[in-house]
Amino acid sequence: NITKDMTTIAIHQPEYLPWLGYFKKIMNSEIFVILDDVQFEKKSWQSRNRIRTKDGSSVLSVPVHAHLDSKINEIKIDNSKNWADKHRKSILYNYTKTPYFDEFRSFIEQLFEKKFEFLMDLNTEIIKLIVNKLEIKPKIIFSSELGIPQAKQTPSDRVLNICKSVNAENYITGTSWAKSHLKIEDFEKSNIHVKFQEFQHPTYTQIHGEFIPRMSIIDLFFNEGVNGAKKILKN
C-alpha cells in the first residue's frame, strides 16, 4: 500500500498531445520523469496522436528530422512543412461543434502559434500546459539531467537507476511493456515497490457518434470541459 509520505514516481517518453492514460499516470505520481535521452522511435506516439473525426479518427503527425540512433532530445521538427497550421485547422474543424469548443479554442490557437525547433520542447510544453489545466502538481524532471551513465544498461536497469537517483519508493508503470521487460526482483532488492497501472479507459460523450477510446486528451477537454476531465480522470 502506498502512503502519502512515500515518494512515488512515473517515467515516460515525451509524447505529442498524449492520451488520458498518460495523464492518469502523472496524476498518481509526485515526480514525473520525462525520458528524453533514449532512442527516438519513428511512427510512435512521440511525434503523433489521434483526434476524433466524423469518419472515426485521424492521426496528426509532427514531421521530424530523425537519424537511426537519434535520441528523443536531439530530434528537430521539420518546420519547412506547414504542419502546425494543418494541425490547428484540423483540430478546430473537427471539434467546432463540441460543447466546450469556446473554452478550449484559444489554448489550441496559442499552442500552434509558438515556434519550436525541437520535438521534445513542443511535447514538454503541451504536457506542462495540460498538467496545469488539470491542476495536478508533480515535480517534472528530465532523465538527461540525472547524470545516469548510459553504457550497457538494459531498459529495466535504466528505469531502476532513475528510480534510485530520485530516491523513489514507488514506481508506477503501465502494463504492456513492463510485464515483459521489468525485472521486478531488482526493484524489490532496492526497496522500490512497483505498481502496475491497469488503466480502465472511461467512456464519455463524443460528438461524432459511437465512442472511440485512446484519443488525445484534447478530445476529452473539448467534449467534457476541464472540470469534466478532472472528474473523469479522478475516478
Side-chain angles (χ1 to χ4, degrees):
N1 281 350
I2 294 176
T3 62
K4 275 287 180 204
D5 55 350
M6 292 178 168
T7 305
T8 300
I9 83 156
I11 304 168
H12 215 294
Q13 295 97 332
E15 291 186 354
Y16 178 61
L17 293 172
W19 74 303
L20 279 60
Y22 194 95
F23 291 100
K24 184 71 174 177
K25 202 187 263 189
I26 299 177
M27 196 177 259
N28 289 331
S29 59
E30 291 159 282
I31 298 173
F32 182 64
V33 180
I34 292 179
L35 192 63
D36 65 328
D37 56 353
V38 294
Q39 192 171 331
F40 173 74
E41 293 169 41
K42 282 186 177 180
K43 299 207 166 158
S44 71
W45 301 118
Q46 291 159 24
S47 59
R48 59 214 287 264
N49 227 305
R50 298 192 300 164
I51 61 165
R52 188 79 165 81
T53 67
K54 65 179 189 309
D55 303 316
S57 69
S58 175
V59 175
L60 302 179
S61 292
V62 180
V64 296
H65 300 289
H67 306 291
L68 199 59
D69 295 322
S70 301
K71 288 182 179 161
I72 294 171
N73 58 14
E74 298 166 343
I75 297 295
K76 289 189 175 181
I77 297 171
D78 182 356
N79 281 314
S80 70
K81 297 190 167 76
N82 192 22
W83 68 273
D85 199 43
K86 283 180 186 154
H87 286 203
R88 179 182 63 81
K89 283 179 177 164
S90 183
I91 291 167
L92 296 180
Y93 171 77
N94 283 292
Y95 289 106
T96 187
K97 294 194 167 87
T98 53
Y100 293 90
F101 180 75
D102 291 337
E103 182 186 311
F104 210 58
R105 175 184 191 155
S106 60
F107 174 89
I108 296 298
E109 287 182 334
Q110 285 163 16
L111 176 65
F112 290 112
E113 268 168 20
K114 291 190 180 183
K115 288 278 180 284
F116 294 92
E117 184 183 1
F118 288 92
L119 178 67
M120 192 190 83
D121 294 339
L122 167 68
N123 289 355
T124 302
E125 172 90 352
I126 291 169
I127 290 161
K128 285 182 172 175
L129 285 170
I130 291 172
V131 158
N132 208 29
K133 278 208 170 292
L134 292 169
E135 295 183 319
I136 47 182
K137 295 181 172 62
K139 184 179 179 188
I140 295 176
I141 53 181
F142 298 92
S143 57
S144 60
E145 297 170 342
L146 296 172
I148 295 165
Q150 294 281 339
K152 288 184 182 156
Q153 47 175 358
T154 66
S156 181
D157 291 339
R158 182 194 298 276
V159 170
L160 179 58
N161 287 331
I162 291 171
C163 287
K164 285 177 175 173
S165 73
V166 297
N167 299 317
E169 289 157 292
N170 301 293
Y171 166 56
I172 297 174
T173 180
T175 54
S176 50
W177 177 84
K179 289 210 165 161
S180 52
H181 290 82
L182 221 55
K183 292 183 277 196
I184 307 288
E185 63 279 6
D186 293 351
F187 286 76
E188 285 169 353
K189 279 180 201 154
S190 302
N191 293 319
I192 297 165
H193 174 66
V194 176
K195 186 172 187 239
F196 290 101
Q197 176 177 283
E198 306 264 5
F199 184 67
Q200 303 296 318
H201 201 298
T203 54
Y204 51 88
T205 305
Q206 288 172 334
I207 55 157
H208 296 298
E210 197 176 331
F211 182 76
I212 301 177
R214 300 184 76 90
M215 298 294 115
S216 164
I217 194 167
I218 64 171
D219 183 76
L220 177 61
F221 282 143
F222 275 120
N223 284 292
E224 296 281 355
V226 171
N227 288 334
K230 283 186 210 164
K231 280 185 198 138
I232 284 165
L233 278 169
K234 274 181 183 147
N235 286 342

CSV table of all heavy atoms in Angstrom, one decimal, residues 15-68:
chain,number,residue,atom,x,y,z
A,15,GLU,N,5.4,12.5,-25.1
A,15,GLU,CA,4.6,12.2,-26.2
A,15,GLU,C,3.9,13.5,-26.7
A,15,GLU,O,3.8,14.5,-26.0
A,15,GLU,CB,3.5,11.2,-25.8
A,15,GLU,CG,4.1,9.8,-25.6
A,15,GLU,CD,3.1,8.7,-25.3
A,15,GLU,OE1,1.9,9.0,-25.2
A,15,GLU,OE2,3.5,7.5,-25.3
A,16,TYR,N,3.4,13.4,-28.0
A,16,TYR,CA,2.7,14.6,-28.6
A,16,TYR,C,1.2,14.5,-28.3
A,16,TYR,O,0.6,13.4,-28.5
A,16,TYR,CB,2.9,14.5,-30.1
A,16,TYR,CG,2.2,15.6,-30.9
A,16,TYR,CD1,2.5,17.0,-30.6
A,16,TYR,CD2,1.3,15.3,-31.8
A,16,TYR,CE1,1.9,18.0,-31.3
A,16,TYR,CE2,0.6,16.4,-32.5
A,16,TYR,CZ,0.9,17.7,-32.3
A,16,TYR,OH,0.3,18.7,-32.9
A,17,LEU,N,0.6,15.5,-27.7
A,17,LEU,CA,-0.8,15.6,-27.4
A,17,LEU,C,-1.3,14.2,-26.8
A,17,LEU,O,-2.2,13.6,-27.3
A,17,LEU,CB,-1.6,15.9,-28.6
A,17,LEU,CG,-1.5,17.2,-29.2
A,17,LEU,CD1,-2.2,17.3,-30.6
A,17,LEU,CD2,-2.0,18.3,-28.3
A,18,PRO,N,-0.7,13.8,-25.6
A,18,PRO,CA,-0.9,12.4,-25.1
A,18,PRO,C,-2.4,12.1,-24.8
A,18,PRO,O,-3.2,13.0,-24.6
A,18,PRO,CB,0.0,12.4,-23.9
A,18,PRO,CG,1.0,13.5,-24.0
A,18,PRO,CD,0.3,14.6,-24.8
A,19,TRP,N,-2.6,10.8,-24.6
A,19,TRP,CA,-3.9,10.3,-24.3
A,19,TRP,C,-4.2,10.4,-22.8
A,19,TRP,O,-3.3,10.8,-22.0
A,19,TRP,CB,-4.1,8.9,-24.8
A,19,TRP,CG,-3.3,7.8,-24.1
A,19,TRP,CD1,-2.0,7.8,-23.8
A,19,TRP,CD2,-3.9,6.7,-23.5
A,19,TRP,NE1,-1.7,6.7,-23.1
A,19,TRP,CE2,-2.8,6.0,-22.9
A,19,TRP,CE3,-5.2,6.1,-23.4
A,19,TRP,CZ2,-3.0,4.8,-22.2
A,19,TRP,CZ3,-5.3,4.9,-22.7
A,19,TRP,CH2,-4.3,4.3,-22.1
A,20,LEU,N,-5.3,9.9,-22.4
A,20,LEU,CA,-5.7,10.0,-21.0
A,20,LEU,C,-4.9,9.2,-20.0
A,20,LEU,O,-4.5,9.7,-18.9
A,20,LEU,CB,-7.2,9.5,-20.8
A,20,LEU,CG,-8.3,10.4,-21.1
A,20,LEU,CD1,-8.3,10.9,-22.6
A,20,LEU,CD2,-9.7,9.8,-20.8
A,21,GLY,N,-4.5,8.0,-20.4
A,21,GLY,CA,-3.7,7.2,-19.5
A,21,GLY,C,-2.4,7.8,-19.1
A,21,GLY,O,-1.9,7.6,-18.0
A,22,TYR,N,-1.8,8.6,-20.0
A,22,TYR,CA,-0.5,9.3,-19.8
A,22,TYR,C,-0.7,10.2,-18.6
A,22,TYR,O,0.1,10.3,-17.7
A,22,TYR,CB,-0.2,10.1,-21.0
A,22,TYR,CG,1.2,10.6,-21.1
A,22,TYR,CD1,2.2,9.9,-21.8
A,22,TYR,CD2,1.6,11.8,-20.6
A,22,TYR,CE1,3.5,10.4,-21.9
A,22,TYR,CE2,2.8,12.3,-20.7
A,22,TYR,CZ,3.8,11.6,-21.4
A,22,TYR,OH,5.1,12.1,-21.5
A,23,PHE,N,-1.8,11.0,-18.6
A,23,PHE,CA,-2.0,12.0,-17.5
A,23,PHE,C,-2.5,11.3,-16.2
A,23,PHE,O,-2.3,11.9,-15.1
A,23,PHE,CB,-3.0,13.1,-18.0
A,23,PHE,CG,-2.3,13.9,-19.1
A,23,PHE,CD1,-2.5,13.7,-20.4
A,23,PHE,CD2,-1.4,14.9,-18.7
A,23,PHE,CE1,-1.9,14.5,-21.4
A,23,PHE,CE2,-0.7,15.6,-19.7
A,23,PHE,CZ,-1.0,15.4,-21.0
A,24,LYS,N,-3.2,10.2,-16.3
A,24,LYS,CA,-3.6,9.4,-15.1
A,24,LYS,C,-2.3,9.0,-14.4
A,24,LYS,O,-2.2,9.1,-13.1
A,24,LYS,CB,-4.4,8.2,-15.5
A,24,LYS,CG,-4.9,7.4,-14.4
A,24,LYS,CD,-6.0,8.1,-13.6
A,24,LYS,CE,-6.6,7.3,-12.5
A,24,LYS,NZ,-7.7,8.0,-11.8
A,25,LYS,N,-1.3,8.6,-15.1
A,25,LYS,CA,0.0,8.2,-14.5
A,25,LYS,C,0.6,9.4,-13.8
A,25,LYS,O,1.2,9.3,-12.7
A,25,LYS,CB,0.9,7.7,-15.6
A,25,LYS,CG,2.0,6.8,-15.2
A,25,LYS,CD,2.9,6.4,-16.3
A,25,LYS,CE,2.6,5.1,-16.9
A,25,LYS,NZ,3.7,4.7,-17.9
A,26,ILE,N,0.6,10.6,-14.5
A,26,ILE,CA,1.2,11.8,-13.9
A,26,ILE,C,0.4,12.1,-12.6
A,26,ILE,O,1.0,12.5,-11.6
A,26,ILE,CB,1.2,12.9,-14.9
A,26,ILE,CG1,2.1,12.6,-16.1
A,26,ILE,CG2,1.8,14.2,-14.2
A,26,ILE,CD1,2.1,13.7,-17.2
A,27,MET,N,-0.9,12.0,-12.7
A,27,MET,CA,-1.8,12.4,-11.6
A,27,MET,C,-1.5,11.6,-10.3
A,27,MET,O,-1.6,12.1,-9.2
A,27,MET,CB,-3.2,12.1,-12.0
A,27,MET,CG,-4.3,12.7,-11.2
A,27,MET,SD,-5.9,12.4,-11.9
A,27,MET,CE,-6.3,13.9,-12.7
A,28,ASN,N,-1.0,10.3,-10.5
A,28,ASN,CA,-0.7,9.4,-9.4
A,28,ASN,C,0.7,9.5,-8.9
A,28,ASN,O,1.1,8.7,-8.0
A,28,ASN,CB,-1.1,8.0,-9.8
A,28,ASN,CG,-2.6,7.8,-9.9
A,28,ASN,OD1,-3.4,8.4,-9.2
A,28,ASN,ND2,-3.0,6.9,-10.8
A,29,SER,N,1.5,10.4,-9.5
A,29,SER,CA,2.9,10.5,-9.1
A,29,SER,C,3.3,11.8,-8.5
A,29,SER,O,2.6,12.8,-8.9
A,29,SER,CB,3.8,10.1,-10.3
A,29,SER,OG,3.6,11.0,-11.3
A,30,GLU,N,4.3,11.8,-7.7
A,30,GLU,CA,4.8,13.1,-7.2
A,30,GLU,C,5.9,13.6,-8.0
A,30,GLU,O,6.1,14.8,-8.2
A,30,GLU,CB,5.3,12.9,-5.7
A,30,GLU,CG,4.3,12.6,-4.7
A,30,GLU,CD,4.9,12.0,-3.5
A,30,GLU,OE1,5.1,10.7,-3.6
A,30,GLU,OE2,5.1,12.7,-2.5
A,31,ILE,N,6.7,12.7,-8.6
A,31,ILE,CA,7.8,13.1,-9.5
A,31,ILE,C,7.5,12.4,-10.9
A,31,ILE,O,7.2,11.2,-10.9
A,31,ILE,CB,9.1,12.7,-9.0
A,31,ILE,CG1,9.5,13.4,-7.7
A,31,ILE,CG2,10.2,13.0,-10.0
A,31,ILE,CD1,10.7,12.9,-7.0
A,32,PHE,N,7.5,13.2,-11.9
A,32,PHE,CA,7.3,12.7,-13.3
A,32,PHE,C,8.6,12.9,-14.0
A,32,PHE,O,9.0,14.0,-14.2
A,32,PHE,CB,6.1,13.3,-14.0
A,32,PHE,CG,5.8,12.7,-15.3
A,32,PHE,CD1,5.5,11.4,-15.5
A,32,PHE,CD2,6.0,13.5,-16.5
A,32,PHE,CE1,5.2,10.9,-16.8
A,32,PHE,CE2,5.7,13.0,-17.8
A,32,PHE,CZ,5.4,11.7,-17.9
A,33,VAL,N,9.2,11.8,-14.4
A,33,VAL,CA,10.5,11.9,-15.2
A,33,VAL,C,10.2,11.7,-16.7
A,33,VAL,O,9.7,10.7,-17.1
A,33,VAL,CB,11.5,10.8,-14.7
A,33,VAL,CG1,12.8,10.9,-15.5
A,33,VAL,CG2,11.7,10.9,-13.2
A,34,ILE,N,10.6,12.8,-17.4
A,34,ILE,CA,10.4,12.7,-18.9
A,34,ILE,C,11.7,12.1,-19.4
A,34,ILE,O,12.8,12.6,-19.2
A,34,ILE,CB,10.2,14.2,-19.4
A,34,ILE,CG1,8.9,14.7,-19.0
A,34,ILE,CG2,10.4,14.2,-21.0
A,34,ILE,CD1,8.6,16.1,-19.5
A,35,LEU,N,11.5,10.9,-20.0
A,35,LEU,CA,12.6,10.1,-20.5
A,35,LEU,C,13.0,10.6,-21.9
A,35,LEU,O,12.5,10.2,-22.9
A,35,LEU,CB,12.1,8.6,-20.6
A,35,LEU,CG,13.1,7.5,-20.8
A,35,LEU,CD1,14.1,7.4,-19.7
A,35,LEU,CD2,12.4,6.2,-21.0
A,36,ASP,N,14.0,11.5,-21.8
A,36,ASP,CA,14.3,12.3,-23.1
A,36,ASP,C,15.6,11.8,-23.7
A,36,ASP,O,15.9,12.2,-24.8
A,36,ASP,CB,14.4,13.8,-22.8
A,36,ASP,CG,15.5,14.1,-21.8
A,36,ASP,OD1,15.8,13.3,-21.0
A,36,ASP,OD2,16.0,15.3,-22.0
A,37,ASP,N,16.4,10.9,-23.1
A,37,ASP,CA,17.7,10.6,-23.6
A,37,ASP,C,17.7,9.1,-24.0
A,37,ASP,O,18.8,8.4,-24.0
A,37,ASP,CB,18.8,10.9,-22.6
A,37,ASP,CG,18.6,10.2,-21.2
A,37,ASP,OD1,17.5,9.6,-21.0
A,37,ASP,OD2,19.5,10.3,-20.4
A,38,VAL,N,16.6,8.6,-24.5
A,38,VAL,CA,16.6,7.3,-25.1
A,38,VAL,C,16.3,7.4,-26.6
A,38,VAL,O,15.9,8.5,-27.1
A,38,VAL,CB,15.5,6.4,-24.5
A,38,VAL,CG1,15.8,6.0,-23.0
A,38,VAL,CG2,14.1,7.0,-24.6
A,39,GLN,N,16.4,6.3,-27.3
A,39,GLN,CA,16.3,6.4,-28.8
A,39,GLN,C,14.9,6.8,-29.2
A,39,GLN,O,13.9,6.3,-28.7
A,39,GLN,CB,16.7,5.1,-29.4
A,39,GLN,CG,16.8,5.2,-30.9
A,39,GLN,CD,17.4,3.9,-31.5
A,39,GLN,OE1,18.2,3.2,-30.8
A,39,GLN,NE2,17.1,3.6,-32.7
A,40,PHE,N,14.8,7.7,-30.2
A,40,PHE,CA,13.6,8.2,-30.8
A,40,PHE,C,13.0,7.0,-31.6
A,40,PHE,O,13.7,6.3,-32.3
A,40,PHE,CB,13.8,9.4,-31.6
A,40,PHE,CG,12.6,9.8,-32.4
A,40,PHE,CD1,11.5,10.4,-31.8
A,40,PHE,CD2,12.5,9.6,-33.8
A,40,PHE,CE1,10.4,10.8,-32.5
A,40,PHE,CE2,11.4,10.0,-34.6
A,40,PHE,CZ,10.3,10.6,-33.9
A,41,GLU,N,11.7,6.8,-31.5
A,41,GLU,CA,11.0,5.8,-32.3
A,41,GLU,C,10.2,6.5,-33.3
A,41,GLU,O,9.2,7.2,-33.0
A,41,GLU,CB,10.2,4.9,-31.4
A,41,GLU,CG,11.0,4.0,-30.5
A,41,GLU,CD,10.0,3.4,-29.4
A,41,GLU,OE1,8.9,2.9,-29.8
A,41,GLU,OE2,10.4,3.4,-28.2
A,42,LYS,N,10.5,6.2,-34.6
A,42,LYS,CA,9.6,6.7,-35.7
A,42,LYS,C,8.2,6.1,-35.6
A,42,LYS,O,8.1,5.0,-35.2
A,42,LYS,CB,10.2,6.4,-37.0
A,42,LYS,CG,11.4,7.3,-37.4
A,42,LYS,CD,11.9,7.0,-38.8
A,42,LYS,CE,13.0,8.0,-39.2
A,42,LYS,NZ,13.5,7.8,-40.5
A,43,LYS,N,7.3,6.8,-36.0
A,43,LYS,CA,5.9,6.4,-36.0
A,43,LYS,C,5.4,5.9,-34.7
A,43,LYS,O,4.6,5.0,-34.5
A,43,LYS,CB,5.7,5.2,-37.1
A,43,LYS,CG,6.0,5.7,-38.5
A,43,LYS,CD,5.3,4.9,-39.5
A,43,LYS,CE,5.4,5.7,-40.9
A,43,LYS,NZ,5.2,4.9,-42.0
A,44,SER,N,5.9,6.5,-33.6
A,44,SER,CA,5.4,6.2,-32.3
A,44,SER,C,4.6,7.4,-31.8
A,44,SER,O,4.5,8.4,-32.5
A,44,SER,CB,6.6,6.0,-31.3
A,44,SER,OG,7.3,7.3,-31.1
A,45,TRP,N,4.1,7.3,-30.6
A,45,TRP,CA,3.3,8.5,-30.1
A,45,TRP,C,4.2,9.6,-29.7
A,45,TRP,O,3.7,10.7,-29.2
A,45,TRP,CB,2.4,8.0,-28.9
A,45,TRP,CG,1.5,6.9,-29.2
A,45,TRP,CD1,1.5,5.6,-28.7
A,45,TRP,CD2,0.4,6.9,-30.2
A,45,TRP,NE1,0.5,4.9,-29.3
A,45,TRP,CE2,-0.2,5.6,-30.2
A,45,TRP,CE3,0.0,7.9,-31.1
A,45,TRP,CZ2,-1.2,5.3,-31.1
A,45,TRP,CZ3,-1.1,7.6,-31.9
A,45,TRP,CH2,-1.7,6.3,-31.9
A,46,GLN,N,5.5,9.5,-29.8
A,46,GLN,CA,6.4,10.6,-29.5
A,46,GLN,C,6.2,11.8,-30.5
A,46,GLN,O,6.4,12.9,-30.2
A,46,GLN,CB,7.9,10.1,-29.6
A,46,GLN,CG,8.2,9.2,-28.5
A,46,GLN,CD,9.4,8.3,-28.8
A,46,GLN,OE1,10.3,8.7,-29.6
A,46,GLN,NE2,9.5,7.2,-28.1
A,47,SER,N,5.7,11.5,-31.7
A,47,SER,CA,5.5,12.5,-32.7
A,47,SER,C,4.1,12.6,-33.3
A,47,SER,O,3.9,13.3,-34.3
A,47,SER,CB,6.6,12.4,-33.8
A,47,SER,OG,6.4,11.2,-34.5
A,48,ARG,N,3.2,11.8,-32.7
A,48,ARG,CA,1.9,11.8,-33.4
A,48,ARG,C,0.8,11.4,-32.3
A,48,ARG,O,1.1,10.9,-31.3
A,48,ARG,CB,1.8,10.8,-34.5
A,48,ARG,CG,2.2,9.4,-34.1
A,48,ARG,CD,2.9,8.6,-35.2
A,48,ARG,NE,2.0,8.2,-36.3
A,48,ARG,CZ,1.5,7.0,-36.5
A,48,ARG,NH1,1.6,6.1,-35.5
A,48,ARG,NH2,0.7,6.7,-37.5
A,49,ASN,N,-0.4,11.8,-32.6
A,49,ASN,CA,-1.6,11.3,-31.8
A,49,ASN,C,-2.9,11.4,-32.6
A,49,ASN,O,-2.9,11.9,-33.7
A,49,ASN,CB,-1.6,12.0,-30.5
A,49,ASN,CG,-1.9,11.0,-29.4
A,49,ASN,OD1,-2.8,10.2,-29.4
A,49,ASN,ND2,-1.0,10.9,-28.4
A,50,ARG,N,-3.9,10.9,-32.0
A,50,ARG,CA,-5.2,10.8,-32.7
A,50,ARG,C,-6.3,11.7,-32.2
A,50,ARG,O,-6.4,12.0,-31.0
A,50,ARG,CB,-5.7,9.4,-32.5
A,50,ARG,CG,-4.8,8.3,-33.1
A,50,ARG,CD,-5.5,7.0,-33.2
A,50,ARG,NE,-5.9,6.5,-32.0
A,50,ARG,CZ,-6.8,5.5,-31.8
A,50,ARG,NH1,-7.3,4.9,-32.9
A,50,ARG,NH2,-7.1,5.0,-30.6
A,51,ILE,N,-7.0,12.3,-33.1
A,51,ILE,CA,-8.2,13.1,-32.7
A,51,ILE,C,-9.4,12.4,-33.4
A,51,ILE,O,-9.3,11.7,-34.3
A,51,ILE,CB,-8.1,14.6,-33.2
A,51,ILE,CG1,-7.9,14.7,-34.7
A,51,ILE,CG2,-6.9,15.2,-32.4
A,51,ILE,CD1,-8.2,16.1,-35.2
A,52,ARG,N,-10.6,12.7,-32.8
A,52,ARG,CA,-11.8,12.2,-33.3
A,52,ARG,C,-12.4,13.0,-34.4
A,52,ARG,O,-12.3,14.2,-34.4
A,52,ARG,CB,-12.8,12.2,-32.1
A,52,ARG,CG,-14.2,11.5,-32.4
A,52,ARG,CD,-14.0,10.0,-32.2
A,52,ARG,NE,-15.3,9.4,-32.1
A,52,ARG,CZ,-16.1,9.1,-33.1
A,52,ARG,NH1,-15.7,9.4,-34.3
A,52,ARG,NH2,-17.3,8.5,-32.9
A,53,THR,N,-12.9,12.3,-35.4
A,53,THR,CA,-13.4,13.0,-36.6
A,53,THR,C,-14.8,12.3,-36.9
A,53,THR,O,-15.1,11.3,-36.4
A,53,THR,CB,-12.5,12.8,-37.8
A,53,THR,OG1,-12.5,11.5,-38.3
A,53,THR,CG2,-11.1,13.3,-37.6
A,54,LYS,N,-15.5,12.9,-37.8
A,54,LYS,CA,-16.8,12.4,-38.2
A,54,LYS,C,-16.7,11.0,-38.9
A,54,LYS,O,-17.6,10.2,-38.9
A,54,LYS,CB,-17.7,13.3,-39.0
A,54,LYS,CG,-17.1,13.6,-40.4
A,54,LYS,CD,-18.0,14.6,-41.1
A,54,LYS,CE,-17.7,14.8,-42.6
A,54,LYS,NZ,-16.3,15.1,-42.8
A,55,ASP,N,-15.5,10.7,-39.4
A,55,ASP,CA,-15.3,9.4,-40.1
A,55,ASP,C,-14.6,8.4,-39.2
A,55,ASP,O,-14.2,7.3,-39.6
A,55,ASP,CB,-14.4,9.6,-41.3
A,55,ASP,CG,-15.1,10.6,-42.3
A,55,ASP,OD1,-16.3,10.5,-42.5
A,55,ASP,OD2,-14.4,11.5,-42.8
A,56,GLY,N,-14.4,8.7,-37.9
A,56,GLY,CA,-13.7,7.8,-37.0
A,56,GLY,C,-12.6,8.6,-36.2
A,56,GLY,O,-12.9,9.3,-35.3
A,57,SER,N,-11.4,8.4,-36.7
A,57,SER,CA,-10.3,9.2,-36.1
A,57,SER,C,-9.3,9.5,-37.1
A,57,SER,O,-9.2,8.9,-38.2
A,57,SER,CB,-9.7,8.4,-34.9
A,57,SER,OG,-9.0,7.3,-35.4
A,58,SER,N,-8.4,10.5,-36.8
A,58,SER,CA,-7.4,10.9,-37.7
A,58,SER,C,-6.1,11.1,-36.9
A,58,SER,O,-6.1,11.5,-35.8
A,58,SER,CB,-7.8,12.2,-38.3
A,58,SER,OG,-6.8,12.8,-39.1
A,59,VAL,N,-5.0,10.7,-37.5
A,59,VAL,CA,-3.7,10.8,-36.9
A,59,VAL,C,-3.0,12.1,-37.3
A,59,VAL,O,-2.9,12.4,-38.5
A,59,VAL,CB,-2.8,9.6,-37.2
A,59,VAL,CG1,-1.4,9.8,-36.6
A,59,VAL,CG2,-3.4,8.3,-36.7
A,60,LEU,N,-2.6,12.9,-36.3
A,60,LEU,CA,-1.8,14.1,-36.5
A,60,LEU,C,-0.4,13.8,-36.2
A,60,LEU,O,0.0,13.4,-35.1
A,60,LEU,CB,-2.3,15.2,-35.6
A,60,LEU,CG,-3.8,15.7,-35.6
A,60,LEU,CD1,-4.0,16.8,-34.6
A,60,LEU,CD2,-4.1,16.1,-37.0
A,61,SER,N,0.5,14.0,-37.3
A,61,SER,CA,1.9,13.6,-37.1
A,61,SER,C,2.8,14.9,-37.3
A,61,SER,O,2.6,15.7,-38.2
A,61,SER,CB,2.3,12.6,-38.2
A,61,SER,OG,1.7,11.4,-37.9
A,62,VAL,N,3.7,15.0,-36.4
A,62,VAL,CA,4.7,16.2,-36.5
A,62,VAL,C,5.8,15.7,-37.3
A,62,VAL,O,6.5,14.7,-37.0
A,62,VAL,CB,5.2,16.6,-35.1
A,62,VAL,CG1,6.2,17.7,-35.2
A,62,VAL,CG2,4.0,16.9,-34.1
A,63,PRO,N,6.1,16.4,-38.5
A,63,PRO,CA,7.3,15.9,-39.3
A,63,PRO,C,8.6,16.2,-38.6
A,63,PRO,O,8.7,17.3,-38.0
A,63,PRO,CB,7.1,16.7,-40.6
A,63,PRO,CG,6.4,18.0,-40.1
A,63,PRO,CD,5.5,17.6,-39.0
A,64,VAL,N,9.5,15.3,-38.6
A,64,VAL,CA,10.8,15.5,-37.9
A,64,VAL,C,12.0,15.1,-38.8
A,64,VAL,O,11.8,14.3,-39.8
A,64,VAL,CB,10.8,14.7,-36.6
A,64,VAL,CG1,9.8,15.2,-35.6
A,64,VAL,CG2,10.7,13.2,-36.8
A,65,HIS,N,13.1,15.6,-38.4
A,65,HIS,CA,14.4,15.1,-39.0
A,65,HIS,C,14.9,14.1,-38.0
A,65,HIS,O,15.3,14.4,-36.9
A,65,HIS,CB,15.4,16.3,-39.1
A,65,HIS,CG,14.9,17.4,-40.0
A,65,HIS,ND1,14.8,17.3,-41.3
A,65,HIS,CD2,14.5,18.7,-39.7
A,65,HIS,CE1,14.4,18.4,-41.8
A,65,HIS,NE2,14.2,19.3,-40.8
A,66,ALA,N,15.0,12.8,-38.4
A,66,ALA,CA,15.4,11.8,-37.5
A,66,ALA,C,16.4,10.9,-38.2
A,66,ALA,O,16.2,10.4,-39.3
A,66,ALA,CB,14.2,11.0,-37.0
A,67,HIS,N,17.5,10.6,-37.5
A,67,HIS,CA,18.5,9.6,-37.9
A,67,HIS,C,18.3,8.3,-37.1
A,67,HIS,O,17.6,8.3,-36.1
A,67,HIS,CB,19.9,10.2,-37.8
A,67,HIS,CG,20.1,11.5,-38.5
A,67,HIS,ND1,20.0,11.7,-39.8
A,67,HIS,CD2,20.2,12.8,-38.0
A,67,HIS,CE1,20.2,12.9,-40.2
A,67,HIS,NE2,20.3,13.6,-39.0
A,68,LEU,N,19.0,7.3,-37.5
A,68,LEU,CA,18.8,6.0,-37.0
A,68,LEU,C,19.0,5.9,-35.4
A,68,LEU,O,18.2,5.3,-34.8
A,68,LEU,CB,19.8,5.0,-37.6
A,68,LEU,CG,19.4,3.5,-37.5
A,68,LEU,CD1,18.0,3.2,-38.1
A,68,LEU,CD2,20.5,2.6,-38.2
